[in-house]
Amino acid sequence: MKHKDFIILWWIALGTTIFFFFFFSEHKSVEGFMKTFLISAMYSFLIGTGNGISNELLNKKIPWAEKTTLRVVISIVCILVINFILVYVCNYVNYVVIQRVATTEVFFSGKYNFINWFMINIALLISAFLHAKSFMEELKKSSKKEVVEQKLIAKSANAQFETLKNQLDPHFLFNSLNVLSSLIDENPRQAQKFTSSMSKIYRYVLEQKDKELVTIEDEIEFAQTYCDLLKTRFEDSVDFSFEVRKEDYGKYVTPLSLQLLLENCIKHNYATSSKPLSVKIFSEEGVLCIENNLQEREQIKESSGIGLANIVQRYSLLTKKNVFIEKSPDFFKVKLPVLSEKVKVIQANPDEEDQAYARARKRMKEIKSFYGNLISYCIIIPFLIVLNLITSPENLWFYWPMLGWGIGLISHGMNVFTIGKNWEDKKIKELMNKYK
């Protein structure tokens, strides 16, 4: 327990002492005040410390945020057991040891059962308030932690996606210049034509590299231009065919994915006039396929790993659909998921944040309303009990407000934590999934 908790217990002991000394004590003296303070401090510190320690142990072993239902059950059991024991110990010390108004046999004979029962109820109310306070503090911590974690995830995903996209620009330029340098020696006229085509292609690279997705139509158009550029260098050593369905043109893929895969085909396979490399680009159900006949060349230097790895990672940040790779002795095929609508990489959307904040505020108001109700119950019911015992002890009427309000409090708690809006939302989702 914290230092401020012990200060609160001292104030509770002092307040209880003043209340009982001035309203219930027949002999007003310094000795009587000190005796009342000693008894009040014993009740406050034993019951308060016992409940505080048990609550701290439960927070460490069974946190509210991780196992809420289990924690509720364990907390109820602990509250009942601990307060039952502590109240009996305090009452025994008070009436048998300090005041000496009863012997051990009389205390346990049943004569003090009402007093014990009354004190246990007061202790249970106070304990319920302490556990509710603990739950609220844990809820605030977990809410803040979750918000921070979600923001970190969003920032990390954005940074990762930007890094992957920024690999494309220098990578394409470097490889294109390599091709150009080899063409200058082999065929200067082709090199001039290549330079003209490369400027058009590079413009597309600059326009599309900052986008998460592009239409298949745009990507196919770019790929055809890029294939013309490759044909400039390899002539009849490579052959490209496009068989993409027109109905798929309006769907989306990641930008420059075809260019990277076409580049991989050239990079990892040899191509000659006698054994041309055949590359086929076509669409199937839900995927865009790039397939080539397998004519693997020996790799002199290690691959940079930018091409296929880049595509796989970018898709993983955009969708749960996977990039599939098939390899056999005769062919190599890559299947790119086709997305029917534009999506965005995971990011902190201001509108979504506002909506989430509004929902969180509404939820917090519901929870605060419940705990306000609980605190009022813990304050007013003990006051009514004391008032009833002072004014008409022979007619115990405090049962009715205690039971009526208690049932309402339980109903309120179930509505907030169990049967409320969350239950409705889950049921709606369940029925929607069932009747899809």
Side-chain angles (χ1 to χ4, degrees):
M1 290 180 68
K2 298 177 182 177
H3 178 68
K4 66 176 185 179
D5 295 325
F6 288 102
I7 294 175
I8 291 171
L9 290 176
W10 277 113
W11 281 108
I12 291 172
L14 181 61
T16 309
T17 301
I18 292 171
F19 178 77
F20 279 98
F21 180 75
F22 285 103
F23 288 97
F24 292 95
S25 179
E26 295 178 359
H27 306 287
K28 306 289 191 297
S29 63
V30 175
E31 182 183 351
F33 183 86
M34 295 305 298
K35 189 175 182 180
T36 306
F37 180 75
L38 175 65
I39 294 169
S40 297
M42 177 189 66
Y43 277 99
S44 299
F45 277 89
L46 272 180
I47 296 173
T49 305
N51 281 286
I53 292 172
S54 70
N55 192 40
E56 287 180 359
L57 288 173
L58 287 175
N59 283 340
K60 291 178 181 178
K61 300 292 183 182
I62 314 172
W64 282 107
E66 294 178 11
K67 301 176 181 178
T68 307
T69 305
L70 178 62
R71 175 60 190 272
V72 169
V73 174
I74 298 296
S75 293
I76 291 172
V77 173
C78 288
I79 287 171
L80 291 171
V81 172
I82 290 171
N83 285 290
F84 184 86
I85 294 171
L86 290 176
V87 166
Y88 262 84
V89 169
C90 289
N91 283 345
Y92 179 84
V93 173
N94 180 19
Y95 295 110
V96 178
V97 178
I98 298 176
Q99 297 194 54
R100 296 180 182 177
V101 294
T103 62
T104 302
E105 292 77 12
V106 172
F107 182 81
F108 288 106
S109 66
K111 184 178 179 181
Y112 286 83
N113 281 351
F114 177 79
I115 294 174
N116 290 329
W117 175 85
F118 174 75
M119 291 301 298
I120 287 172
N121 276 278
I122 298 296
L124 288 175
L125 289 172
I126 296 170
S127 183
F129 170 75
L130 291 174
H131 281 265
K133 180 174 174 289
S134 168
F135 175 77
M136 286 294 292
E137 290 174 352
E138 188 73 16
L139 182 67
K140 287 180 181 178
K141 287 180 184 177
S142 63
S143 298
K144 287 179 181 178
K145 184 180 177 183
E146 187 176 350
V147 169
V148 171
E149 285 178 351
Q150 289 301 321
K151 286 185 177 179
L152 287 174
I153 289 170
K155 287 179 181 178
S156 175
N158 276 320
Q160 187 180 356
F161 197 80
E162 288 302 318
T163 302
L164 291 168
K165 287 194 296 184
N166 290 333
Q167 289 177 347
L168 302 177
D169 185 8
H171 175 67
F172 173 78
L173 181 59
F174 177 76
N175 284 299
S176 297
L177 290 174
N178 276 343
V179 174
L180 180 60
S181 65
S182 63
L183 273 178
I184 290 172
D185 294 330
E186 295 173 9
N187 192 333
R189 185 175 293 178
Q190 290 288 68
Q192 188 177 5
K193 186 179 177 183
F194 184 94
T195 304
S196 176
S197 298
M198 196 182 82
S199 65
K200 295 176 183 177
I201 292 172
Y202 195 61
R203 186 182 297 112
Y204 177 85
V205 173
L206 293 174
E207 289 173 353
Q208 304 299 336
K209 77 179 185 71
D210 291 328
K211 297 179 180 179
E212 285 85 19
L213 293 170
V214 293
T215 62
I216 290 178
E217 183 178 9
D218 288 341
E219 192 71 2
I220 290 295
E221 186 179 341
F222 166 71
Q224 287 172 336
T225 307
Y226 184 69
C227 289
D228 291 340
L229 186 145
L230 293 174
K231 289 284 283 185
T232 302
R233 179 187 175 192
F234 294 99
E235 297 179 343
D236 58 351
S237 297
V238 292
D239 180 57
F240 300 98
S241 65
F242 290 83
E243 298 176 10
V244 179
R245 298 179 301 187
K246 295 291 184 182
E247 56 265 30
D248 292 330
Y249 272 28
K251 296 178 181 177
Y252 298 90
V253 291
T254 56
L256 306 177
S257 52
L258 286 183
Q259 182 266 324
L260 288 170
L261 293 173
L262 289 168
E263 187 178 289
N264 272 1
C265 293
I266 301 297
K267 183 178 179 181
H268 296 292
N269 295 277
Y270 65 86
T272 63
S273 298
S274 57
K275 294 191 72 174
L277 179 67
S278 178
V279 181
K280 183 180 178 183
I281 300 166
F282 59 98
S283 57
E284 291 179 349
E285 192 64 38
V287 291
L288 183 65
C289 302
I290 299 88
E291 181 182 332
N292 65 272
N293 57 322
L294 204 60
Q295 300 178 165
E296 287 186 286
R297 67 167 72 181
E298 292 184 11
Q299 298 296 320
I300 299 174
K301 56 182 180 179
E302 190 177 346
S303 172
S304 64
I306 289 177
L308 189 55
N310 182 289
I311 295 169
V312 171
Q313 289 179 63
R314 281 192 290 153
Y315 264 106
S316 70
L317 291 171
L318 290 168
T319 178
K320 292 181 180 179
K321 296 179 179 179
N322 295 318
V323 176
F324 289 100
I325 302 165
E326 294 181 13
K327 185 177 181 180
S328 74
D330 300 320
F331 70 88
F332 183 85
K333 183 192 289 187
V334 178
K335 294 181 177 181
L336 299 176
V338 170
L339 305 177
S340 57
E341 58 182 15
K342 273 202 172 184
V343 294
K344 285 190 175 290
V345 67
I346 303 167
Q347 58 184 342
N349 187 307
D351 292 337
E352 291 178 358
E353 280 189 347
D354 291 342
Q355 291 173 9
Y357 180 72
R359 288 194 297 269
R361 277 186 62 85
K362 183 179 178 183
R363 178 69 177 156
M364 285 299 295
K365 282 182 179 179
E366 290 174 352
I367 295 172
K368 285 175 70 177
S369 170
F370 168 74
Y371 283 117
N373 194 4
L374 176 63
I375 291 168
S376 301
Y377 184 85
C378 293
I379 294 171
I380 294 172
I381 293 300
F383 173 76
L384 293 177
I385 294 172
V386 172
L387 181 65
N388 182 193
L389 295 177
I390 293 173
T391 57
S392 54
E394 68 285 348
N395 180 26
L396 301 178
W397 48 262
F398 69 84
Y399 285 113
W400 301 110
M402 185 175 74
L403 289 174
W405 194 351
I407 292 169
L409 184 65
I410 293 169
S411 176
H412 191 178
M414 291 179 69
N415 185 55
V416 171
F417 297 108
T418 310
I419 314 180
K421 188 68 178 174
N422 288 341
W423 178 86
E424 292 178 9
D425 292 341
K426 288 178 183 176
K427 197 65 181 176
I428 289 169
K429 288 179 182 177
E430 182 185 322
L431 292 171
M432 286 175 68
N433 292 330
K434 183 179 178 182
Y435 295 110
K436 269 184 178 180

